[in-house]
Amino acid sequence: MKLKAPDDNAVTIFSPINCFSAICLAAFLTIVYPSTGVAKSGAGELNATEQWVVTQTSGGEIADLSKQFPDKETDKRKLSAHFLEELLTGTLPGIKLHRHGVRIIGAIIDEPVDLENAQIPCEVWLEHCQFNASANFNGANFAGTVSLENSMFKAEAVFNSMKVRGDAFLNGAAFEGPIDFILADVARNFQGNGTKFQNKEKTADFSSMKVGGYASIKSAIFEGPVDFGSADIASNLQAQGAQFQNKEKIASFASMKVGGDASFNDAVFEGPVTFILADIAGNFSGHRARFQNKEQGANFNSLKVRGYAFFLSDAVFEGPADFGSANIASTFAAPGAKFQNKEKQANFGGMKVGGYAFFNDAVFEGPVNFALAEIATAFSANQAKFQNKETEPNFSSMKVGGHAFFNDAVFEGPVNFVLAEIAGALHANEAKFHNKEKEANFNSMKIRGDAFFKNAVFEGPVNLVSADIAGNFDANGAKFQNKEKDASFGGMKIGGYAVFSDAVFEGPVNFIGADVAGNFAAGKARFKNKEKEASFGGMKLGGRAFFNEAVFEGPVNFNYADFAWLDLSKTLWPKVAGKFHLQGMSYKYIRAAPNEPESHRALLKLADQSAYSADVYNHLEEFFLGQGYRDDADRAFIKGKRRERKENLHGLSWVGSCLLDWLVGYGRRPWQAGIPCAALVALGCILFSPKKMEPQKPEDTPRVYSRFWYSLGLFLPFVDLQADKVWKPKADQTFLRNYMRVHIMLGWILVPLVLAAVTGLIK
C-alpha cells in the first residue's frame, strides 16, 4: 500500500511544530533509550552506546557503562577500537574534548587497539574495561594522567616508550597476555597495586622505565617472569605484599635506580630474583619477605643503598642469598632472618655497611660468608645460629669499625675468623662451638678492644694463635671440651689482662709464646687431660699470674715462661715429676701460699715435684735471698744439689756429693762439719784414756796428762798443742796406735772442709 504524501497546506501548517517535536523526541530517545540504537550503518556513524559515551565525555562526565548497562546487558557496553582511538586522540568529527578528558568505566573492546605514536591531549580513564584483543600504546604520548585501574587485557599490551605527563594508574588491572613497559616514561607516579600479570611464559617487562615520582606495585601478582632492570624511579618503589610466582624464571631489578626508598615488605619471590647493581638512594626494606627459590635464590650482589637495608621480622631465604660487594650506607638489619638453604651459600663477602649490621637471632642452615666484609660501626649476631656442620661460617679478613657481638650464638660447624679485624670489642659470651672435629679458628685476628668468651663452650679444637687483642681477653668459665686437639693460644698478644678463671680444658692447651701485658688469671681453672700437655712455655706476662686453686691432672710445662708476679696458691700439680716442667721459668715474685714461710715450703715442695733442672732451684734461691730469707735460700740450694745427685750423679761424683751434703751442707751449713769433728774429738777423749797412755820420754812422766788436749791436738792440722809430742798410746795398745793415725787423717780431711765452707770456697 502506497502512502499518500501530505499536501502543501498540511506541510506548511505542521512543519515547524513537527520539526521541533521530532528533534526533541530524537534527543530524548537517544539519551534515555540508547539501547534502541543500532550498529554503524555506514562509515563514520556511531552506535547508540558510542553516542552516549560522546555525550558524557563532551559534558565532562564519567561514562560509566557498568551502571548504564547492568550485568545482563554487557553486550551493550562494547565500543569499537576505531571509536576509542579517535576519541582519545581528539579526532572524532564534531567532538571537542572536555578539560576533564575521557573517563570511561566498564567498556568492552573486542578489536585490537592501535594507538602507536598517538598524541593523546587529555587525561584518560579506561577503568574496569575489558580489552579482548591486543592493545598497542607503543610510543603514545599522554598529556595527562592515565588510569587503567581494574581493567582486563586478554591479549598483548604494549606500552613501550609510552610517555605520560601525569600519573599512570594500573591498580587492580589484569594482564593475561604479555606486557611491555620498556622505556615507558611516567612524569609523576606509577601505581600497579593489586595488579595481576598472569602470563606465565613471557616477561612483564618494565626495563628502563622512568618514573618521575613513586612507583607502587603493592600486592601485585606476577605469575611469569618480570624485569625492572635499569628502571629509573625518582621517588619510592613500593612493592609491599607483591607476589612473584614464577618458580623458574627470574624477577629482575638489576641496575634499577630508585631515588627514594624501596620496600618489599611481605613480598614473596617463588623464583629467583636479582638486584645486581641496583641503586637505592633511600632505604631498602624487606620485612617478612620470602625468597623461596632453592636453586638460584636472591641476588643482591653490588647492590647500593644510600640509607639502611632492613630484612626484619623473620625474612626467609630458602635458597642462596648473595649480598657480595653490596654497599649499604647506613644500617643493615636482618634480625631473625632465616637462611634455609643447606647446600648453597649466604654470601656477604666484601659487603660494605656504613652503619650497624644486625643478624641477631638469624638462622643460617647452610654455608655463610662474610669474608672481606666491612662494617663501619657494630656487627651483632647475638643468638644467631650457624647450623651447617661441614662448611665453616667465614668471617676471615672481615673488618668491623666498632664492636662485634656473638653472645649466645651457636656454631654447629667450624668457624673462621682468620685475619678478621675488629676496632672495638668482640663479645662471644656463652657462644657455643659444637663441631668436635674442625676448629674454631681465630688465628691472627686483630681486636682493638676487649675479647669476651665468658662461659663459651668449644667442643672442638680452638685456634687463637697469633691473635692480637689490644684490650683484655676474658674466657671466665669457658669450656674447652676436645680431648684430643689443642686449645691453642700460642703467640697470642694481649694488651690488657687475660682471664681463664674457672675455665675447663679437657684436652691439651697451648700458650707457648703468648704475650700478656697485664694480669693472667686462671684461678680454679681445671686442666683435665692426663696424657697431653698444658703448655705455657715461653709465655711472657707483664702483670700478675694467678693459678691459685687451679688443677693440673696431666703434664704441664712452664719452661722459659717469664712472669712478673706468680701466684700458685693451693694449685694441684701432677705427682709424677716427669710431667711437670719449670726449666728456665723466671719471675720477680712467686708464692704458693698466703704467708711467706708456708709459701716457701710449698715452693720447695713444688720444685721437688717438677722435672729436675738446676735453674729451678737457682731461681728459688735467688728469690728467697732477694726477699731476705737466707735460710730458705740455703735450703733451696741444698735441695737442688740433692736433686742433682739423685738425678745425674754416679760413682765417685755421687760419693763426693754425699760427703759435701753430710759434712757442710754443700757449703751452706759449715757448722754441720763441726758435729763429726766434735764427735771425733770426744771419741778420742774416750779412747785415749790415761790408763792407755804413756809419756814418750821418761823425763815427761811428772807432767799432767789431759785426754781432751791430746785428742784435739791430734785432730787439728796446722796447730801444734804439744800434747801429741809428750804422750803416746802404750806399746800393748795396738788398736789405739792405729786409730791415732786415723784420727789425724780425719782431722786433715774435716778441718779443711770446714774452713773451705766458712770462707765460701765450697758453694
Side-chain angles (χ1 to χ4, degrees):
M1 181 178 79
K2 293 183 180 180
L3 294 176
K4 183 179 179 180
D7 58 22
D8 293 339
N9 290 333
V11 172
T12 303
I13 295 171
F14 184 72
S15 178
I17 297 174
N18 284 351
C19 286
F20 179 77
S21 299
I23 292 170
C24 291
L25 179 61
F28 178 77
L29 291 174
T30 300
I31 296 171
V32 178
Y33 300 107
S35 62
T36 62
V38 294
K40 295 179 181 180
S41 58
E45 295 182 12
L46 304 179
N47 64 33
T49 300
E50 293 169 348
Q51 290 174 357
W52 181 80
V53 169
V54 169
T55 301
Q56 291 293 97
T57 301
S58 298
E61 301 296 330
I62 298 173
D64 190 346
L65 296 173
S66 62
K67 289 183 180 179
Q68 188 66 25
F69 304 104
D71 292 341
K72 294 181 180 180
E73 300 179 281
T74 54
D75 287 345
K76 297 175 182 179
R77 299 180 188 173
K78 292 184 179 181
L79 302 176
S80 72
H82 184 68
F83 165 74
L84 186 62
E85 292 163 5
E86 290 188 334
L87 179 63
L88 294 180
T89 57
T91 59
L92 198 62
I95 300 299
K96 182 179 180 180
L97 295 176
H98 193 275
R99 66 180 182 277
H100 289 169
V102 177
R103 297 182 289 178
I104 300 173
I105 298 176
I108 299 174
I109 300 94
D110 288 331
E111 304 93 353
V113 175
D114 185 3
L115 286 166
E116 184 172 0
N117 297 320
Q119 300 295 316
I120 301 170
C122 62
E123 183 174 293
V124 175
W125 291 12
L126 296 174
E127 298 179 355
H128 295 275
C129 295
Q130 182 173 312
F131 296 84
N132 292 325
S134 63
N136 185 1
F137 295 89
N138 184 21
N141 192 336
F142 291 85
T145 293
V146 177
S147 177
L148 301 173
E149 289 188 349
N150 299 298
S151 291
M152 180 177 290
F153 294 80
K154 295 283 190 178
E156 183 179 34
V158 178
F159 301 90
N160 190 302
S161 303
M162 177 182 72
K163 292 184 179 181
V164 179
R165 298 305 172 209
D167 300 311
F169 297 104
L170 275 69
N171 300 326
F175 296 88
E176 295 185 10
I179 181 170
D180 178 2
F181 275 90
I182 296 173
L183 291 170
D185 188 347
V186 180
R188 294 197 297 189
N189 303 317
F190 177 89
Q191 288 190 13
N193 299 327
T195 304
K196 298 177 178 65
F197 301 89
Q198 297 174 336
N199 191 283
K200 297 181 179 181
E201 300 301 325
K202 296 188 177 180
T203 301
D205 199 340
F206 300 85
S207 61
S208 301
M209 181 175 73
K210 292 184 179 181
V211 179
Y214 65 77
S216 180
I217 51 173
K218 296 177 182 177
S219 302
I221 297 176
F222 298 86
E223 296 188 20
V226 57
D227 186 1
F228 280 88
S230 299
D232 190 344
I233 300 168
S235 185
N236 300 328
L237 171 62
Q238 301 168 348
Q240 295 94 317
Q243 297 179 42
F244 301 86
Q245 297 180 345
N246 192 285
K247 297 181 180 181
E248 304 299 328
K249 297 183 179 179
I250 199 163
S252 177
F253 299 86
S255 301
M256 178 179 68
K257 292 184 179 181
V258 178
D261 300 331
S263 176
F264 288 84
N265 298 338
D266 299 295
V268 177
F269 297 87
E270 295 188 24
V273 57
T274 177
F275 286 87
I276 290 177
L277 292 170
D279 190 343
I280 314 298
N283 304 314
F284 184 100
S285 61
H287 308 334
R288 299 173 298 277
R290 303 284 186 274
F291 301 89
Q292 297 178 341
N293 186 276
K294 296 181 179 180
E295 298 302 322
Q296 299 181 57
N299 193 341
F300 299 87
N301 195 291
S302 302
L303 168 75
K304 290 184 180 180
V305 179
R306 309 304 170 87
Y308 60 71
F310 282 179
F311 291 86
L312 307 178
S313 304
D314 301 323
V316 176
F317 298 84
E318 295 188 20
D322 185 1
F323 287 86
S325 300
N327 192 335
I328 314 298
S330 182
T331 297
F332 183 94
K338 295 177 175 61
F339 300 86
Q340 297 179 340
N341 194 285
K342 297 180 180 180
E343 304 298 329
K344 298 186 178 181
Q345 190 176 74
N347 181 28
F348 302 87
M351 181 174 73
K352 293 183 179 180
V353 178
Y356 296 89
F358 292 102
F359 290 88
N360 298 336
D361 298 297
V363 177
F364 298 89
E365 296 188 22
V368 57
N369 177 27
F370 282 91
L372 294 169
E374 292 187 21
I375 314 299
T377 54
F379 180 94
S380 183
N382 293 330
Q383 293 89 42
K385 295 177 177 61
F386 301 88
Q387 297 180 341
N388 190 282
K389 295 182 179 181
E390 301 301 325
T391 306
E392 63 188 16
N394 188 356
F395 300 89
S396 63
S397 300
M398 180 175 75
K399 293 183 179 180
V400 179
H403 301 310
F405 296 90
F406 290 88
N407 295 325
D408 296 296
V410 177
F411 298 87
E412 298 285 348
V415 58
N416 181 0
F417 281 88
V418 173
L419 292 171
E421 187 171 334
I422 299 171
L426 172 64
H427 298 260
N429 296 326
E430 300 189 35
K432 296 173 179 62
F433 301 85
H434 286 322
N435 193 284
K436 297 180 179 180
E437 302 300 326
K438 298 180 180 179
E439 69 183 7
N441 192 349
F442 301 86
N443 190 297
S444 303
M445 179 176 68
K446 292 183 180 180
I447 301 175
R448 297 295 171 240
D450 301 324
F452 296 98
F453 289 90
K454 293 180 180 178
N455 299 308
V457 177
F458 297 87
E459 295 188 22
V462 57
N463 181 356
L464 278 147
V465 172
S466 299
D468 188 348
I469 317 295
N472 305 314
F473 185 94
D474 192 343
N476 186 27
K479 295 177 175 61
F480 302 87
Q481 298 178 340
N482 191 283
K483 295 181 179 181
E484 302 299 324
K485 297 182 180 180
D486 282 359
S488 184
F489 305 87
M492 181 172 69
K493 293 183 179 181
I494 299 176
Y497 59 73
V499 178
F500 289 87
S501 301
D502 296 297
V504 177
F505 298 87
E506 300 276 352
V509 57
N510 172 17
F511 282 91
I512 294 173
D515 189 344
V516 182
N519 296 335
F520 183 94
K524 298 183 179 179
R526 287 173 299 235
F527 300 85
K528 300 176 73 171
N529 193 287
K530 296 180 180 180
E531 303 298 327
K532 297 186 178 181
E533 191 172 71
S535 180
F536 301 85
M539 182 178 182
K540 293 183 180 181
L541 188 63
R544 299 186 175 192
F546 298 91
F547 289 89
N548 46 303
E549 299 184 62
V551 176
F552 293 89
E553 296 185 20
V556 57
N557 183 351
F558 283 93
N559 287 348
Y560 302 103
D562 185 359
F563 299 102
W565 199 98
L566 181 59
D567 186 355
L568 303 175
S569 302
K570 299 182 180 179
T571 305
L572 296 179
W573 305 97
K575 299 187 181 302
V576 179
K579 292 186 176 183
F580 182 28
H581 300 272
L582 298 175
Q583 182 179 357
M585 183 179 78
S586 60
Y587 42 82
K588 294 179 180 178
Y589 180 83
I590 187 171
R591 74 176 186 181
N595 61 74
E596 293 295 341
E598 183 183 355
S599 173
H600 292 181
R601 288 192 295 273
L603 289 172
L604 290 172
K605 182 178 179 181
L606 182 63
D608 289 341
Q609 285 181 250
S610 70
Y612 172 71
S613 176
D615 67 286
V616 174
Y617 294 94
N618 292 341
H619 287 149
L620 277 179
E621 180 192 6
E622 291 174 9
F623 171 70
F624 292 154
L625 195 60
Q627 294 290 311
Y629 291 89
R630 178 71 189 213
D631 290 344
D632 289 341
D634 290 343
R635 275 193 286 272
F637 178 81
I638 292 170
K639 279 182 171 288
K641 288 295 185 180
R642 288 173 178 172
R643 281 292 300 279
E644 179 186 37
R645 181 176 75 229
K646 180 179 179 182
E647 302 284 344
N648 295 338
L649 300 184
H650 306 282
L652 293 177
S653 298
W654 185 89
V655 173
S657 177
C658 287
L659 289 174
L660 287 175
D661 184 10
W662 299 337
L663 294 176
V664 291
Y666 294 103
R668 300 306 173 92
R669 297 173 181 173
W671 52 267
Q672 287 184 189
I675 296 174
C677 291
L680 288 171
V681 171
L683 178 62
C685 291
I686 296 171
L687 294 177
F688 299 116
S689 65
K691 294 180 180 180
K692 299 177 181 180
M693 303 297 293
E694 63 180 2
Q696 291 191 21
K697 298 177 182 179
E699 59 268 23
D700 293 330
T701 300
R703 298 184 66 171
V704 178
Y705 170 74
S706 170
R707 65 176 70 188
F708 169 75
W709 290 113
Y710 181 80
S711 177
L712 182 61
L714 286 177
F715 188 78
L716 290 177
F718 315 119
V719 177
D720 187 3
L721 297 180
Q722 300 296 320
D724 59 323
K725 295 180 179 179
V726 175
W727 303 96
K728 65 179 181 179
K730 291 180 178 179
D732 60 347
Q733 297 294 320
T734 304
F735 168 77
L736 203 58
R737 284 176 174 272
N738 291 325
Y739 173 73
M740 178 185 69
R741 295 179 179 86
V742 172
H743 195 78
I744 294 170
M745 289 172 53
L746 289 174
W748 277 93
I749 293 172
L750 292 178
V751 172
L753 283 175
V754 172
L755 294 176
V758 170
T759 57
L761 293 177
I762 297 177
K763 294 184 179 180

